[in-house]
Amino acid sequence: LQSPFKLHESLQALIEREITHARAGKSARIIAKLNALVDPATIENLYRASNSGVRIDLIVRGVCALRPGLPGVSENIQVRSIVGRFLEHSRVFWFENAGRAQLYLASADWMERNFFRRVEVAFPIATPKLKARIRKDLERYLADTSNAWLLQSDGSYRRASGSAHDAQAQLLEAYSAVARPPE
């Protein structure tokens, strides 16, 4: 999916498909990890998805114009920002698709400039083993309580609470053995 041609349109269609699944009583969920979310059309469609019963978990490191937890607007949306040891730039888009999940890695944040004024790309990950690994990594981020801040409906952030869980430390430990050269 490439911008400025198809990325925005395709993303809106993927959100719409989750809405259709939710309304039909099928599994519907969106998980997105990105650096910024400010595109008005995308935010409006995420609100529509929330109101249709789609569970939405957003990991947005930087600016986020969406407001989670607003009654009748975004009750099914949670937004967290994770600022830890690593300055991350990965963008990951997970769509549950009624149990036939689709996963994309991307260069684009959900911003008008990325959708319409830059060349960006989102590409699918189809290999089951890679999809499972990336999904596990996303779940680590969603469980983080060490570096996570939860966006409140008023625009303020509250530090995540719970037993200590540091997603970045877990990822470093899990994948450091893979990165070591053989002796």
Side-chain angles (χ1 to χ4, degrees):
L1 309 175
Q2 183 193 15
S3 67
F5 306 109
K6 286 286 191 183
L7 182 57
H8 188 263
E9 175 185 327
S10 298
L11 177 64
Q12 306 317 306
L14 290 165
I15 295 169
E16 188 65 40
R17 186 181 62 192
E18 293 302 310
I19 292 170
T20 301
H21 289 320
R23 288 180 177 161
K26 298 176 182 176
S27 60
R29 185 175 183 195
I30 298 169
I31 304 172
K33 183 177 182 294
L34 46 140
N35 291 328
L37 170 56
V38 295
D39 177 58
T42 302
I43 292 170
E44 184 63 32
N45 282 328
L46 290 171
Y47 287 155
R48 286 182 49 249
S50 173
N51 283 326
S52 298
V54 178
R55 181 176 163 198
I56 302 168
D57 290 297
L58 303 172
I59 306 160
V60 185
R61 185 178 61 86
V63 63
C64 182
L66 178 147
R67 294 294 174 254
L70 293 171
V73 177
S74 56
E75 294 167 298
N76 291 317
I77 303 175
Q78 182 181 67
V79 178
R80 63 183 46 233
S81 176
I82 297 178
V83 180
R85 178 177 175 183
F86 303 112
L87 180 62
E88 296 191 44
H89 291 284
S90 58
R91 284 107 175 159
V92 182
F93 314 148
W94 176 276
F95 298 92
E96 185 64 31
N97 191 26
R100 296 177 314 278
Q102 283 189 287
L103 171 68
Y104 293 87
L105 300 185
S107 63
D109 288 312
W110 291 355
M111 306 172 72
E112 289 175 293
R113 73 177 187 200
N114 294 80
F115 288 136
F116 304 113
R117 294 189 299 279
R118 291 186 176 178
V119 175
E120 304 276 3
V121 68
F123 58 92
I125 301 296
T127 306
K129 185 175 179 180
L130 290 176
K131 282 173 74 171
R133 173 186 165 177
I134 294 167
R135 175 60 187 259
K136 183 177 180 179
D137 292 348
L138 286 171
E139 292 298 338
R140 286 178 171 147
Y141 279 104
L142 293 173
D144 189 295
T145 56
S146 295
N147 300 308
W149 293 81
L150 303 176
L151 180 59
Q152 306 301 294
S153 59
D154 66 1
S156 65
Y157 283 85
R158 174 181 54 82
R159 195 175 235 323
S161 60
S163 59
H165 179 85
D166 185 333
Q168 291 182 349
Q170 284 188 345
L171 288 169
L172 186 61
E173 182 179 327
Y175 299 122
S176 64
V178 176
R180 283 192 198 112
E183 294 181 17

